[in-house]
Amino acid sequence: MYISMALSLLSPIQSSTSLSSFTLTTFPAPKNASFLSSIYSLYHPKGALGSSRTGSSFFGGFRGSRRIESTAADKKRQMVSRNGEFDEGEIERIGGQDEELIQGHDDNSPSSPDRWDVLGLGQAMVDFSGVVDDDFLKKLGLEKGTRKLINHEERGRVLQAMDGCTYKAAAGGSLSNTLVALARLGCRSISDPPLNVAMAGSRDRAVHNVFYRTKLRRANVNFLSAPIMDGTTGTVIVLTTPDAQRTMLAYQGTSSVVNYDSCLASLISKTNVFVVEGYLFELPDTIRTITKACEEAHRNGALVAVTASDVSCIERHYDDFWDIVGNYADIIFANSDEARAFCHFSADESPISATRYLSHFVPFVSVTDGINGSYIGVKGEAIYIPPSPCVPVDTCGAGDAYASGILYGILRGVTDLKGMGDLAATIAATVVSQQGTRLRVQDAVRLARSHEFLLKSSGVRTDVGS
């Protein structure tokens, strides 16, 4: 299959050069070889998979020397008790909307793939997405459009206050939104093999047995971490107001524990793209796990992608973020505020300036700017991606969906950066125009077909067997 590609990043681009026609270069890969071998050799001039990133690496000039200064109310009542707990069986029934069983891979089965196209490391959370008005937020003392960490008791109070509201439950978390969209895009294609997508993290026994793993498997995403015994479920309550603004309340539960062990190392060793969710930086001692995981990824030839996740998270863990981004990241996903936070830019700085600046440190930079569009940055330059037209209903999950489009384009061999960005923007607009954070199966099929047209227009052969 002609899906191997290389980012042409080593030759300098003059500041006056337009990226509107900048493309990725494709060429055939050896059968059964990692499609990332060539792209990795460009990031890592030593050439071989697994070679050291230090010394002569593309980033050598920056290393260590430079830092940037449901649903009905009666079901709701059944789910939530006075202490804020909920019944997993009810979550299972409520979360069953827009689900379709797609054959997945059992991590303990001999039919598991030789390599994972994408492995994500993130928080296993249950999402409650509800529609509320401004008065609801005021009564609870919540600032609209913000993200707040809450404790067990606060979660119970909010869920009880939602009595009478409609909401959806899903196997959630920012990273899982991206992986589900990616898997749905990649599961149905006449000309391309299905994408092998997996997630690792932590979850409690209840979610393991009833909800989380089942929901992800139905979307062809395999959750490969063992459950934590006697734990509590992490949840994110997403409150969306009529103006499509989201307010997020996160209770971490036992999803606040992510350990690096031989199982995770083994999974990373057979992964093409390793994605680290930025919210993990909030968790105690997780930076050690992230560092070891990124080292293992590069040792085995994988690309490392990092999601910025949240401005306040970046500000609280700025040094840790840059330890990972500056030393390991090949791809970074951020919105305009997060990109400025990374650069220590003021709010007056344009997102294109932040994109260009970050691209001096990270080979591939993706920055979204809401209704204003988005940017892709490479080697100090940026290409503007106009927004895809839509009527916004719920902005939650827009950035997650956009990231899935970029990953899908890379994995499927899209060579035109503008075309890749347009695809990602269309996917994001599709999610924004609905209630909920997940790309629906029928929309994924339609968008994947449009991608096949994009492949043909990019000159990539899709009719050659692997």
Side-chain angles (χ1 to χ4, degrees):
M1 183 71 66
Y2 280 67
I3 59 172
S4 282
M5 59 112 180
L7 290 175
S8 304
L9 297 175
L10 296 182
S11 59
I13 296 180
Q14 300 300 321
S15 59
S16 60
T17 301
S18 171
L19 284 182
S20 60
S21 60
F22 187 82
T23 62
L24 308 177
T25 305
T26 65
F27 51 88
K31 188 173 182 179
N32 297 325
S34 167
F35 85 98
L36 291 167
S37 58
S38 55
I39 185 174
Y40 192 91
S41 69
L42 290 183
Y43 288 151
H44 313 264
K46 290 187 178 180
L49 294 179
S51 61
S52 172
R53 190 177 177 84
T54 59
S56 62
S57 78
F58 174 66
F59 298 98
F62 303 118
R63 294 290 175 258
S65 61
R66 186 172 182 179
R67 174 68 59 85
I68 309 177
E69 296 296 302
S70 188
T71 60
D74 58 338
K75 289 188 176 182
K76 157 71 177 52
R77 295 188 191 100
Q78 295 172 23
M79 289 173 58
V80 183
S81 67
R82 292 182 179 178
N83 64 358
E85 290 299 340
F86 46 83
D87 178 77
E88 297 289 350
E90 286 300 322
I91 296 178
E92 171 66 22
R93 288 189 286 275
I94 288 170
Q97 303 178 32
D98 187 42
E99 292 291 350
E100 182 169 323
L101 185 59
I102 302 169
Q103 184 62 43
H105 303 283
D106 188 335
D107 43 302
N108 296 317
S109 168
S111 64
S112 294
D114 292 333
R115 291 190 70 83
W116 296 101
D117 291 298
V118 174
L119 172 67
L121 184 66
Q123 291 181 282
M125 311 282 277
V126 173
D127 277 358
F128 291 97
S129 300
V131 179
V132 300
D133 56 25
D134 289 346
D135 288 339
F136 181 92
L137 299 179
K138 291 178 181 178
K139 289 178 181 177
L140 292 177
L142 300 175
E143 181 181 352
K144 185 166 67 173
T146 61
R147 179 181 183 271
K148 177 183 177 182
L149 293 177
I150 59 175
N151 58 34
H152 184 274
E153 291 72 23
E154 289 173 314
R155 180 185 71 167
R157 286 196 295 271
V158 174
L159 289 176
Q160 289 181 3
M162 290 176 68
D163 189 14
C165 301
T166 59
Y167 63 88
K168 294 181 179 180
S174 173
L175 178 61
S176 74
N177 290 336
T178 296
L179 298 181
V180 166
L182 178 61
R184 286 179 170 174
L185 289 164
C187 74
R188 294 184 177 183
S189 174
I190 297 175
S191 56
D192 292 316
L195 295 177
N196 298 315
V197 181
M199 180 175 171
S202 69
R203 58 192 171 178
D204 66 47
R205 183 177 178 83
V207 172
H208 165 63
N209 287 333
V210 180
F211 188 72
Y212 202 90
R213 181 175 181 174
T214 300
K215 289 302 176 185
L216 290 188
R217 283 289 300 277
R218 285 179 177 174
N220 207 28
V221 177
N222 296 264
F223 197 99
L224 304 180
S225 294
I228 295 175
M229 307 299 290
D230 302 321
T232 57
T233 304
T235 56
V236 176
I237 303 172
V238 183
L239 306 173
T240 303
T241 46
D243 59 359
Q245 291 297 305
R246 61 180 182 176
T247 302
M248 302 175 66
L249 307 172
Y251 168 66
Q252 293 178 335
T254 53
S255 65
S256 61
V257 179
V258 180
N259 296 318
Y260 185 83
D261 54 23
S262 59
C263 178
L264 179 58
S266 176
L267 293 171
I268 294 172
S269 71
K270 55 179 184 178
T271 295
N272 291 334
V273 180
F274 179 60
V275 184
V276 177
E277 183 181 37
Y279 288 124
L280 289 181
F281 287 84
E282 295 273 36
L283 310 183
D285 301 322
T286 306
I287 185 62
R288 289 197 288 260
T289 295
I290 296 172
T291 301
K292 290 179 180 179
C294 290
E295 289 173 348
E296 184 68 18
H298 278 155
R299 192 157 42 241
N300 288 277
L303 293 180
V304 171
V306 177
T307 69
S309 296
D310 184 71
V311 170
S312 61
C313 183
I314 295 170
E315 292 172 346
R316 284 191 294 269
H317 308 281
Y318 187 82
D319 289 341
D320 285 344
F321 259 106
W322 268 104
D323 283 342
I324 298 301
V325 170
N327 287 291
Y328 302 105
D330 301 299
I331 305 167
I332 188 168
F333 297 108
N335 64 30
S336 56
D337 291 333
E338 293 158 356
R340 283 188 282 261
F342 269 124
C343 303
H344 274 174
F345 284 178
S346 69
D348 296 331
E349 288 282 355
S350 67
I352 193 171
S353 297
T355 303
R356 288 169 173 164
Y357 199 85
L358 284 173
S359 70
H360 287 291
F361 300 85
V362 181
F364 190 105
V365 177
S366 171
V367 175
T368 58
D369 192 29
I371 61 174
N372 299 313
S374 56
Y375 301 88
I376 293 176
V378 174
K379 292 190 301 186
E381 291 297 327
I383 176 173
Y384 172 67
I385 310 297
S388 182
C390 73
V391 177
V393 174
D394 182 0
T395 59
C396 187
D400 306 334
Y402 189 95
S404 76
I406 295 295
L407 292 172
Y408 183 67
I410 291 174
L411 289 163
R412 288 306 198 204
V414 174
T415 61
D416 173 34
L417 288 178
K418 177 66 165 53
M420 185 187 299
D422 287 339
L423 176 65
T426 302
I427 295 170
T430 301
V431 171
V432 167
S433 62
Q434 68 182 33
Q435 183 66 42
T437 61
R438 292 288 165 82
L439 179 67
R440 292 179 295 213
V441 174
Q442 62 269 31
D443 290 330
V445 172
R446 173 178 56 82
L447 291 165
R449 287 173 180 166
S450 72
H451 162 76
E452 289 181 344
F453 173 78
L454 180 61
L455 274 181
K456 293 176 183 178
S457 66
S458 297
V460 179
R461 293 178 62 187
T462 62
D463 58 345
V464 180
S466 58

